[in-house]
Amino acid sequence: HQEKITIYADYDADGIPGSVVLSSLFDKIGYTNYDVYLPHRHDEGYGIHIDALKKIQTAGSTLVITIDVGITAHEAATWCKENNLDLIITDHHEPLCDPQGVQILPEPLLLINPKQSLCSYDDDMLCGCGVIFKCVQAFIQKYGNEYHIQEGWDKWLLDMVGLSTISDMVPLQKENRVFASFGMRVIKKTKRPGLRKLIWNAGLNINYLTEEDLAFSVTPKLNAASRMSHPKDALRALIAPTELKATEAVKHLDTLNNE
């Protein structure tokens, strides 16, 4: 219905690639009325902030979809409900519990987290990017024909999912092992100029890339953005549409990482 949507993602090397996954789906189906909000690590801190939600709503958004954040955002979820701002939380962190160990969950419009007690999904150790990837797969299963998404298109998102799975240090078992393995294969063929440039500038050969290369030479540069400047600097590198823009964005990340 052409509602404006804000993707609200965490500022690290899990949430930022997760925002690329969801925005890639929107781009694929021709949905342009969206933006990405990444909270500032130092000025705002981790979590969903009501001040940020107020700005988002003032800017015209009527739906917020979180990635890698929100399972403890009780006040934010309540505020959204009281102020007619639809909130979908996707997260992978542990919910709060009462003294008896019963989970205390926020009440957004929709809550997607494999760690909530009522969720029967087989793997509850996915990273935040992995969770939103499963949402994208579900969307494609239901609406893929309607939006003319060719079978197998979603596999090209596994570069971001593999990067996040390795960066967030989740156990490489079950589905995470699949994400890491196939993610590495897709990274070696990635169509994203910024990711290729990040790897090249780290002095790595993309054809012989290893998990350790990613974790110790690429991930720190993405995380340097939020620690030294703003996480959008990392997002710009990952979504850069051309070699020129990728070169500029990655050069900036290299500078921040060196600092």
Side-chain angles (χ1 to χ4, degrees):
H1 302 292
Q2 291 303 311
E3 289 185 62
K4 184 177 180 183
I5 300 171
T6 292
I7 301 169
Y8 190 118
D10 191 25
Y11 45 63
D12 67 2
D14 186 11
I16 297 172
S19 72
V20 176
V21 167
L22 185 54
S23 61
S24 294
L25 174 67
F26 289 161
D27 294 343
K28 180 65 176 176
I29 66 175
Y31 197 88
T32 60
N33 195 19
Y34 77 91
D35 59 15
V36 178
Y37 187 90
L38 304 171
H40 193 283
R41 182 189 288 265
H42 303 298
D43 294 347
E44 297 176 273
Y46 177 80
I48 306 176
H49 308 288
I50 292 177
D51 285 346
L53 293 173
K54 290 177 180 177
K55 295 176 186 175
I56 288 168
Q57 188 175 50
T58 300
S61 285
T62 55
L63 170 62
V64 174
I65 303 173
T66 79
I67 298 172
D68 192 30
V69 66
I71 193 62
T72 60
H74 294 78
E75 291 183 7
T78 300
W79 185 90
C80 286
K81 188 176 292 186
E82 292 173 349
N83 289 273
N84 298 315
L85 180 62
D86 287 340
L87 176 66
I88 295 174
I89 291 175
T90 78
D91 199 355
H92 73 120
H93 294 100
E94 293 282 354
L96 298 176
C97 293
D98 67 14
Q100 285 72 43
V102 178
Q103 291 183 352
I104 307 171
L105 300 173
E107 297 183 6
L109 178 69
L110 189 64
L111 175 59
I112 302 171
N113 184 338
K115 285 193 174 72
Q116 56 185 325
S117 57
L118 293 178
C119 182
S120 60
Y121 193 67
D122 186 53
D123 193 344
D124 65 355
M125 294 303 292
L126 303 180
C127 66
C129 185
V131 172
I132 197 63
F133 176 70
K134 301 309 295 187
C135 296
V136 168
Q137 283 192 310
F139 180 93
I140 293 172
Q141 283 182 12
K142 190 167 186 178
Y143 301 109
N145 289 335
E146 179 180 342
Y147 286 100
H148 308 294
I149 301 175
Q150 61 269 36
E151 184 177 352
W153 171 82
D154 52 315
K155 72 180 180 182
W156 289 105
L157 304 176
L158 287 172
D159 54 356
M160 294 292 98
V161 183
L163 172 61
S164 291
T165 298
I166 293 166
S167 297
D168 217 44
M169 295 185 290
V170 291
L172 295 186
Q173 301 170 344
K174 295 186 177 181
E175 195 160 15
N176 284 334
R177 193 166 189 83
V178 177
F179 285 159
S181 177
F182 283 89
M184 291 297 296
R185 296 188 201 183
V186 175
I187 286 170
K188 292 172 183 178
K189 300 179 180 180
T190 186
K191 301 175 181 179
R192 304 184 200 277
L195 182 55
R196 298 185 69 88
K197 191 67 179 174
L198 273 167
I199 294 167
W200 174 267
N201 277 23
L204 302 170
N205 185 327
I206 197 168
N207 295 314
Y208 300 99
L209 196 70
T210 68
E211 292 85 350
E212 288 79 8
D213 291 334
L214 275 183
F216 293 104
S217 298
V218 176
T219 298
K221 294 182 181 182
L222 297 175
N223 285 330
S226 65
R227 290 183 175 132
M228 301 300 294
S229 179
H230 196 284
K232 280 214 166 184
D233 293 333
L235 179 63
R236 288 190 193 98
L238 292 179
I239 65 173
T242 64
E243 293 288 344
L244 179 60
K245 289 187 179 297
T247 298
E248 294 172 352
V250 171
K251 182 179 179 182
H252 182 56
L253 286 187
D254 284 340
T255 300
L256 295 176
N257 190 51
N258 289 337
E259 289 178 14

